[in-house]
Amino acid sequence: MPRLLICKTDRFVSRSIQNLVFIILFLLFGSPLFSLPTYNEVKSGYLPSDIQVFDRTGDLIQRYRIRNDYRSEEWTEYNQLPKFLIDSVIHAEDKRFFEHTGLDSNALISSFWSNLTGSSLRGASTITMQLVSLLDPELKPFESKRKTIFQKLKQIQRAVDLEETWSKEEIFTAYINLIYFRGELRGITSASKGLFRKSPEALTPNESYLLAALIRSPQSSIEKVIKRVCLLKKERDGIDDCESISRLVRESLFRNFEYSQYPSFVPLYTKAVLDFSKGNEKPYSKLNVSLSLNFQRKVEEILKRNVKTLANKNVSDGAVVVIDNRTGQVLVYVPNIGEESSVSKLDLIRSKRQVGSTLKPFVYAQTFQENKLTPESILSDSPVGIPVYQGIYRPLNYDKSYKGNVTVRQSLGSSLNIPAIRALSFLDINEFVSVLERLGISGLRYPEFYGPSLALGTADISLLELTNAYRSLANGGLYSSVTFDLSENSSNQRRVFSPISSYMVSEILADREARSLGFGWDNFLSTSYYTSVKTGTSQDMRDNWCIGYSEIFTVGVWVGNPTGNPMLDVSGITGAAPVWRETMDLFHESLSSKLNRPEEMNLINPTSTSSNESRIEKTKSQRILTPVNGSIFALDPDIPLGRQKILFTFSSYDISYSYYLNDENIGSVRGPYLWEPKKGEYRLQVKDRDGKVISLSSFEVR
């Protein structure tokens, strides 16, 4: 019989069978209610099992599992599939796929005959019929795992309808992305990466045969899979090569259990991103986040190294967060010290702990806001007993000493406890709790629970909330929420403090002289660029904090023990401050910043602020360039002593400034200064006419 006549006869038979099926279906069920989706609807509704997270430079830094019932990858288009993969699947599942219109009449007749002899109807299903079963829940088999005759008739009708609106390429693409291959592997990309560690474009013919053989019975034993793949290869290539096929099948199917080997640099950060985005109804499979993996890794190393040096002080862990002041974007998020942490799955950035003295700046900011105090107001640092409902509260300073009458500047700069409690007494504590809530601090208890000790940070606050509250001071008293999204700026803006109040607090926290009363001149808080910074230690030395900001960044650090065990003689200066300083230096290696003075400050009575405030903006941007703080020099025995010099340079030469070496005036800062070195430890300072230190650098000569 001529080939053309065979094709026409086949099509006639196929159409006749379809018409017969439709008549039966209409008589049994009437008009179908199922609405066929479009290809684009199916594709847009498809979500991988993992969210891919890309950092601000576009690097893939995390895959985060959001579906536990299957494992799937990104949607793969038809033109991304190798031809031999397409041919293998069609040969195994639906040899006449490109010829029929949804129903293969030859296969159907053969299947009905097999059914009469007790076999399954499975062999009659075309790729299109299998696809509509995946799209329509009504077509899923019942508990018997076999479709009823009524389901089969519905499946046939809907497959034919689908063929009228979708192209063959669209049908095959949706099918290959939605079917299961092995275990939890759903879709061609998931199977290709899970079994062979490669994308579908790189599949070999033998690997394609294995994938095609898995479709019909994904959970078959390895021996059955090997037999099926060998048969498929022989039918397609005419080659009987079961030995290599057997080796490939065994290696690949055992490898399936290693699927989780994907980038996982910031799992806790990703969980935080997803938690903060709850309520967003828009589904997504990719996240472009604000975090910088480059800086993240460097800060992780800084934290680990410093925590290790504190091991003998019973410090076991820490956390660091860095926020961009302007946008609120989180740039670094180190929730613990990683694999070496005893709580590597716990996010210590969002854990709430007592914050100690880091709450004092907000106490003073509110007193400035209400015009109750100024930076030069006098407070008494002397023993005090405050009646509370448990009895008498008698606060002590950190060093258990008293300084007598001190200014607010000295009290805040040197973190004196008793003056802070006196400052809180000028405020309505209910209102102050409301201020903290407007700064984004959640979960606070009723004011009476804290009493006057609230000024010393007895409230439990997370590092993220506290750092962002400090960012409000950096932004002139304007609060806004943090964001993890690279494409968005912070939202929920509201004013908490005036620019003037914020400026006065920031200027005190940047004042080395005010800080020297409690911490001395030489410590990790003194940077060569403008920063405002505060440390804190909770009761019994359980938590250690250092929060501070420059013009551009706000950095928050916590160190301690996740279990709450107390540390041994660790203060903010020796615990969290070194981490804060290294992190801040890392972000300012090629930047300079200054403290911007609000224009409204010109309206303030000069007696209410420091006599040097008119020069703050100028001096905060000036610094000693050489020697760099912490430098070590060694005398060369082969060079005469008189010919060895160390160069002192300053960022802006001014004859009104002077170089001081170990408190001895050695000359005017009219230009570079050459100093003949001698063995010892030195502190180089630049002071103005009034003796105020502009910059400081410590170095050693050996």
Side-chain angles (χ1 to χ4, degrees), residues 298-316:
K298 291 179 179 179
V299 175
E300 286 173 350
E301 190 279 327
I302 290 171
L303 179 64
K304 289 177 184 177
R305 174 165 37 80
N306 280 277
V307 168
K308 284 182 179 179
T309 63
L310 296 170
N312 61 340
K313 300 288 188 179
N314 198 35
V315 175
S316 63

Side-chain angles (χ1 to χ4, degrees), residues 19 21 33 124 130 153 180 220 224 246 249 259 284 302 403 447 476 513 529 559 575 589 639 655 693:
N19 291 338
V21 168
L33 300 176
Q130 293 179 54
L153 292 173
Y180 283 89
S220 292
K224 287 184 178 180
S246 176
V249 172
Y259 188 89
Y284 44 78
I302 290 171
K403 304 297 188 296
E513 189 172 349
Y529 45 90
V559 298
E589 285 178 349
I639 301 176
I655 60 173
V693 177

Side-chain angles (χ1 to χ4, degrees), residues 218-347:
Q219 310 307 327
S220 292
S221 67
I222 290 180
E223 297 303 326
K224 287 184 178 180
V225 173
I226 292 173
K227 183 177 179 181
R228 197 176 301 148
V229 178
C230 289
L231 180 61
L232 183 57
K233 181 177 177 63
K234 187 174 182 180
E235 290 177 353
R236 293 289 299 160
D237 299 342
I239 300 174
D240 190 356
D241 184 18
C242 268
E243 183 177 344
S244 62
I245 291 294
S246 176
R247 186 166 55 253
L248 171 68
V249 172
R250 294 180 190 281
E251 291 177 355
S252 303
L253 297 191
F254 281 124
R255 189 184 298 144
N256 182 24
F257 298 102
E258 304 170 9
Y259 188 89
S260 59
Q261 293 178 351
Y262 280 97
S264 182
F265 299 127
V266 286
L268 292 178
Y269 168 81
T270 302
K271 186 177 188 305
V273 174
L274 297 177
D275 287 345
F276 275 87
S277 63
K278 282 181 179 177
N280 182 4
E281 297 180 357
K282 182 181 178 181
Y284 44 78
S285 59
K286 292 183 179 180
L287 289 174
N288 296 302
V289 297
S290 57
L291 184 134
S292 167
L293 183 60
N294 177 42
F295 281 107
Q296 175 82 6
R297 284 172 165 167
K298 291 179 179 179
V299 175
E300 286 173 350
E301 190 279 327
I302 290 171
L303 179 64
K304 289 177 184 177
R305 174 165 37 80
N306 280 277
V307 168
K308 284 182 179 179
T309 63
L310 296 170
N312 61 340
K313 300 288 188 179
N314 198 35
V315 175
S316 63
D317 222 319
V320 184
V321 63
V322 181
I323 308 174
D324 181 283
N325 290 345
R326 182 181 62 84
T327 64
Q329 293 177 354
V330 176
L331 306 176
V332 165
Y333 193 95
V334 183
N336 52 56
I337 61 172
E339 294 180 357
E340 298 177 39
S341 171
S342 61
V343 289
S344 59
K345 304 297 183 183
L346 179 62
D347 187 347

Side-chain angles (χ1 to χ4, degrees), residues 1-19 94-110:
M1 185 181 294
R3 180 178 179 83
L4 180 61
L5 181 58
I6 293 175
C7 292
K8 287 184 177 179
T9 303
D10 183 64
R11 288 173 184 163
F12 175 77
V13 172
S14 175
R15 178 56 63 181
S16 299
I17 293 175
Q18 288 178 15
N19 291 338
D94 188 359
K95 293 182 178 64
R96 289 164 34 84
F97 172 70
F98 284 105
E99 300 172 22
H100 64 65
T101 57
L103 174 67
D104 187 343
S105 57
N106 292 345
L108 183 63
I109 293 173
S110 175

Side-chain angles (χ1 to χ4, degrees), residues 348-353 355 441-442 460-467 545:
L348 298 176
I349 289 178
R350 292 197 287 163
S351 300
K352 290 183 177 289
R353 298 176 179 275
V355 294
I441 297 171
S442 61
D460 291 334
I461 303 173
S462 72
L463 178 61
L464 184 61
E465 290 177 338
L466 185 61
T467 304
W545 308 78

